[in-house]
Amino acid sequence: MSDQPELTSFAHTTWDIVVVGAGPAGAMAARECARTGASVLLVEKSAWPRYKVCGCCINLHALATLQEAGLGELPMRAGAQPIERFELRASNHCATVPLPGGVALSRERFDAALVEAARESGAVFLPETTARLSSGSDAARAVILKGRNGFVTITAKIVLAADGLGGKLLKSAQDFDSPPTEDSRIGAGAVIEHAPDHYEAGTIYMASGRHGYVGLVRVDGGRLDIAAALDAEWVKSVGGLPEAAAAILREAGFESPPGMAEAHWKGTPPLTRRATSIAAHRFLVLGDAAGYVEPFTGEGMAWALASGRAIAPIVCDSILDFNETTQARWEQVYRDIITKRQVLCRLISMGLRKPALVRTATAALAAAPGLARPVVHRLNAPPSQRKANPA
């Protein structure tokens, strides 16, 4: 960013709120807090805009959260592609079910648009900078920022950790960690610039195999986004991420898009995890840093945006008077809006590890696509719609 401020200009400054991590959760939290008039610093370790491939599907729940925040037009302005259906293949069985209402948008554009919305609301953005907690006082936390040209210490009345899977900030906080589950898969993804026409816009394609699953969807510019959840040891045995994704596509009956081997693949730490705690004195955790379950059709983005929006009033009410009630309030809100919604994804994730069950389910959905309607509704609908339509 050409207008990036110098790190030295932040030395010994005091902020109401420092948000670490500029993904959807962090950017939304920074934007919502800044709108109240709080001084907000949004810190991001990566150069900006960043290349990121996972989480390009934005479902109805996520879109509803954006609408409530006054950002309902943001995805389409950024070039989002409408999603209409979901095609699942396993062992050459194929099922297609309706999935109306969501959109697909590259994370480069979506994250950049959210950060710009935060900046327009008054937040200050500092990319290419890492953060760790240091000693503080009853009234504030000290944060050490490190960039290309050294480091500075700042003060924050409240620090929000939104730095994603395996984020570094939790490791600098006492009694905090986010360990993965024993059987957690790793994430992987790439973008293909020119993909075959039979991978149509408007469809999420999903290949399920014995060692993971691979999703494909067209995003802005007609590019094909590929995202996968894979068994880590098996990836090593077959030679790497593109080889593993191609093997699962073949096993399911999909054609591997040309250019997969040459694409820029990125992997993630183990996916399924839960933070040991999400609240301490003047320190709250949200987004993927708080916990993560393998998502399928945009649930991860919905959880991130919902947590970013929900945490803002709690934080802004507590800038001067942060106490144990504040911590308990965030823990309860997080359970209500995130943890309860992750249960279904946990069950689906467990089911996808049983090939015989996946084959049976795919065959059943091929014969009767309507069987998927209750599950699709629970995964995608905003909370108000879920209550009105409990099926």
Side-chain angles (χ1 to χ4, degrees):
M1 296 178 61
S2 58
D3 57 346
Q4 178 180 339
E6 288 292 331
L7 184 62
T8 54
S9 67
F10 293 89
H12 308 297
T13 56
T14 297
W15 300 81
D16 290 330
I17 301 157
V18 170
V19 183
V20 179
M28 177 64 83
R31 189 243 185 191
E32 294 299 281
C33 290
R35 292 179 71 197
T36 70
S39 61
V40 179
L41 176 64
L42 176 60
V43 179
E44 167 59 42
K45 66 179 180 181
S46 303
W48 206 259
R50 64 180 176 180
Y51 176 77
K52 192 173 179 68
V53 294
C54 61
C56 66
C57 293
I58 307 172
N59 69 10
L60 283 173
H61 182 199
L63 292 175
T65 301
L66 290 170
Q67 187 68 40
E68 292 168 359
L71 298 172
E73 300 301 317
L74 184 149
M76 300 310 292
R77 287 203 309 266
Q81 301 296 305
I83 295 173
E84 300 173 353
R85 66 193 70 86
F86 175 77
E87 181 177 312
L88 172 65
R89 293 192 188 186
S91 300
N92 290 305
H93 294 280
C94 179
T96 302
V97 299
L99 191 67
V103 298
L105 178 63
S106 67
R107 287 293 300 275
E108 301 102 304
R109 288 196 181 184
F110 186 56
D111 289 10
L114 281 176
V115 167
E116 186 58 30
R119 295 179 69 196
E120 290 174 354
S121 295
V124 176
F125 181 48
L126 187 61
E128 297 184 81
T129 304
T130 60
R132 65 180 178 90
L133 291 176
S134 184
S135 59
S137 65
D138 289 341
R141 300 295 298 253
V143 181
I144 299 174
L145 303 179
K146 183 178 180 181
R148 291 174 298 177
N149 300 316
F151 64 90
V152 299
T153 299
I154 64 171
T155 302
K157 295 174 183 176
I158 299 177
V159 178
L160 302 183
D163 52 344
L165 292 171
K168 303 294 185 183
L169 190 62
L170 288 188
K171 297 185 183 302
S172 68
Q174 187 175 3
D175 299 326
F176 277 78
D177 197 4
S178 182
T181 59
E182 185 175 349
D183 61 346
S184 180
R185 286 170 165 162
I186 62 170
V191 174
I192 305 296
E193 294 293 333
H194 305 288
D197 291 340
H198 60 258
Y199 285 113
E200 299 178 351
T203 301
I204 297 175
Y205 298 92
M206 181 173 170
S208 179
R210 291 167 293 172
H211 298 285
Y213 54 88
V214 178
L216 310 94
V217 67
R218 294 274 185 177
V219 295
D220 41 277
R223 298 174 296 165
L224 187 67
D225 185 281
I226 306 174
L230 307 165
D231 292 335
E233 292 302 318
W234 177 73
V235 171
K236 296 177 183 178
S237 71
V238 297
L241 296 174
E243 292 82 4
I248 290 177
L249 289 172
R250 289 194 301 271
E251 180 183 349
F254 280 108
E255 175 187 335
S256 295
M260 279 185 60
E262 296 77 26
H264 180 193
W265 283 84
K266 293 193 70 174
T268 73
L271 294 171
T272 303
R273 59 181 66 222
R274 178 175 294 179
T276 53
S277 177
I278 61 169
H281 182 61
R282 296 191 176 273
F283 179 70
L284 301 176
V285 187
L286 70 157
D288 293 351
Y292 195 78
V293 179
E294 294 174 19
F296 305 99
T297 59
E299 300 82 24
M301 295 291 280
W303 301 332
L305 292 169
S307 64
R309 181 160 165 76
I311 205 170
I314 297 173
V315 169
C316 293
D317 289 347
S318 307
I319 291 174
L320 298 179
D321 185 25
F322 192 104
N323 52 45
E324 292 182 357
T325 300
T326 305
Q327 297 172 212
R329 184 180 170 193
W330 173 235
E331 289 168 344
Q332 182 62 54
V333 168
Y334 185 85
R335 283 194 296 269
D336 289 344
I337 68 169
I338 305 297
T339 304
K340 292 179 180 179
R341 293 189 70 116
Q342 290 178 337
V343 172
L344 182 55
C345 280
R346 288 182 186 276
L347 294 174
I348 295 174
S349 175
M350 292 169 59
L352 286 172
R353 296 171 187 268
K354 303 181 185 301
L357 178 59
V358 175
R359 288 194 298 269
T360 300
T362 305
L365 290 173
L371 293 173
R373 189 176 298 115
V375 175
V376 169
H377 179 76
R378 288 190 65 83
L379 289 175
N380 288 269
S384 59
Q385 291 187 23
R386 291 181 64 199
K387 293 177 182 177
N389 301 281

